[in-house]
Amino acid sequence: MEIIKTVVIGAGTMGNGITHVMAQSGFSVTMVDVSREALDRGMGIINKNLARMVSKEKITENSKNETLGRITTATDLDEAVKDADLVVEAVNENFELKEKIFRQLDLNAPAGCILASNTSSISITKLGAVTGRAGRVIGMHFFNPVPVMKLVEVVRGLDTLDEVNDAVVEMSKKLGKEPVPVNDYPGFVSNRVLMPMINEAIFCVHEGVGTPENIDNVMKLGMAHPMGPLRLADFIGLDVCLDILNVLYEGFRDPKYRPCPLLVKMVDAGKLGDKTGQGFYTTA
Ligand SMILES: NC(=O)c1ccc[n+]([C@@H]2O[C@H](COP(=O)([O-])OP(=O)(O)OC[C@H]3O[C@@H](n4cnc5c(N)ncnc54)[C@H](O)[C@@H]3O)[C@@H](O)[C@H]2O)c1
């Protein structure tokens, strides 16, 4: 199936990044948000990132303008999706909110349209089940910052059709990404492997095994990780790490995913990492 018209829902960190790569790859894309301010902010970020690419001579001024010309913005979701081939949902990580949007998409998008979610941890099978087209629902998990990171984790729900999986793999390649197909289980592959490592690093701080700097240096210098797990946790957001660990813990009912009490305490204290300036490191 050919994908021509795309819609991205959410103009935040991920939504504006996904819109950027789609438009730069030649797709016409409508970015939808409930908030006009969020759309303006998202467009501002896309503009700034494209301008930086021009100044580094990675793209021309002309190609920047062509990319911007392929993007429209909208606040009316039902209208925006009525001729879409692919919708990528990137609203806040909240099941009730995503469920409502998927029901709405099912009612308003054409029958053949693929409904993808950029969720980090919500079950694709569960999102598919609230629609009448579970076969056309799939995870398209991009990584932050989207224009830079190569991976798209393509997540198949229990009922996702082969042709939909294949179309999303092809689409991801057209976006210059490297798609990796995985099946839908809590945390997919990325967070199922990453979060226990981050949690264990936090347990090492909690038990006084090492300082955050020393723990990160062990992983950087000994395991060739570009960034230590605690620095990465601050970057992702400690609240987001805790939410994902809880998804793993509840999803598998296995104590090996139990969030470290120090992580819980830091989130309770509002020390959420880079976004608040305080986490395992102080950035503000
Ligand atoms: N930030 C990351 O590093 C990252 C990485 C991978 C995946 N994700 C996932 O991507 C999704 C989005 O995360 P984010 O960091 O971009 O969030 P964000 O908070 O930056 O942006 C969310 C946007 O969704 C908009 N929104 C809320 N309700 C809406 C609705 N009903 N219709 C349209 N827009 C609506 C908000 O106004 C906001 O602009 C989440 O599911 C998250 O788990 C995030």
Side-chain angles (χ1 to χ4, degrees):
M1 64 168 295
E2 204 186 354
I3 293 172
I4 298 169
K5 171 82 203 298
T6 63
V7 173
V8 175
I9 312 173
T13 310
M14 298 305 288
N16 73 58
I18 298 166
T19 301
H20 173 148
V21 294
M22 282 183 167
Q24 203 177 340
S25 308
F27 293 92
S28 138
V29 46
T30 305
M31 181 165 70
V32 179
D33 204 291
V34 274
S35 144
R36 189 33 74 189
E37 292 73 44
L39 287 169
D40 291 345
R41 207 165 37 241
M43 283 309 298
I45 292 169
I46 295 172
N47 229 307
K48 203 173 83 194
N49 288 339
L50 287 168
R52 192 180 315 119
M53 293 172 90
V54 173
S55 70
K56 288 186 176 169
E57 296 183 358
K58 287 187 175 165
I59 58 169
T60 60
E61 183 69 31
N62 193 31
S63 115
K64 173 190 155 194
N65 293 333
E66 279 174 8
T67 296
L68 290 171
R70 291 187 200 102
I71 305 175
T72 48
T73 60
T75 50
D76 184 341
L77 176 65
D78 299 349
E79 180 64 25
V81 300
K82 73 178 197 310
D83 55 352
D85 301 306
L86 169 70
V87 176
V88 181
E89 167 278 311
V91 305
N92 310 63
E93 188 76 345
N94 173 304
F95 179 71
E96 285 71 33
L97 175 62
K98 289 190 194 277
E99 178 191 20
K100 185 174 150 263
I101 287 177
F102 271 75
R103 285 187 201 281
Q104 208 176 330
L105 290 174
D106 195 28
L107 285 177
N108 294 287
C113 177
I114 296 176
L115 309 181
S117 175
N118 182 53
T119 178
S120 316
S121 62
I122 289 171
S123 163
I124 298 301
T125 306
K126 232 168 130 179
L127 285 177
V130 306
T131 72
R133 59 172 101 181
R136 307 199 80 72
V137 174
I138 193 163
M140 208 174 173
H141 188 199
F142 290 85
F143 289 75
N144 184 25
V146 182
V148 177
M149 300 296 277
K150 281 284 173 203
L151 176 62
V152 176
E153 207 177 19
V154 177
V155 187
R156 287 188 78 138
L158 192 62
D159 293 316
T160 307
L161 295 168
D162 287 345
E163 66 178 81
V164 169
N165 182 65
D166 296 348
V168 169
V169 164
E170 273 320 300
M171 175 69 182
S172 305
K173 288 182 187 161
K174 286 185 185 159
L175 299 179
K177 302 296 179 197
E178 298 200 15
V180 178
V182 305
N183 287 318
D184 180 30
Y185 280 95
F188 315 138
V189 169
S190 49
N191 283 317
R192 179 151 172 195
V193 174
L194 175 66
M195 286 301 158
M197 183 185 69
I198 286 178
N199 200 36
E200 206 56 39
I202 301 172
F203 268 111
C204 287
V205 180
H206 185 55
E207 292 167 11
V209 182
T211 62
E213 288 81 359
N214 287 345
I215 293 162
D216 278 351
N217 278 336
V218 167
M219 300 307 286
K220 283 196 290 186
L221 303 174
M223 320 312 162
H225 287 200
M227 196 189 262
L230 297 162
R231 185 70 206 82
L232 183 57
D234 273 0
F235 175 72
I236 294 170
L238 301 189
D239 51 341
V240 175
C241 293
L242 179 58
D243 285 346
I244 298 173
L245 277 161
N246 278 325
V247 167
L248 292 169
Y249 186 53
E250 283 152 24
F252 291 112
R253 296 172 196 246
D254 185 332
K256 78 176 174 185
Y257 300 109
R258 176 177 72 104
C260 176
L262 176 60
L263 174 62
V264 177
K265 195 151 72 171
M266 289 176 75
V267 172
D268 283 347
K271 296 179 196 291
L272 306 183
D274 295 356
K275 66 177 107 171
T276 60
Q278 273 204 314
F280 292 100
Y281 297 88
T282 302
T283 50

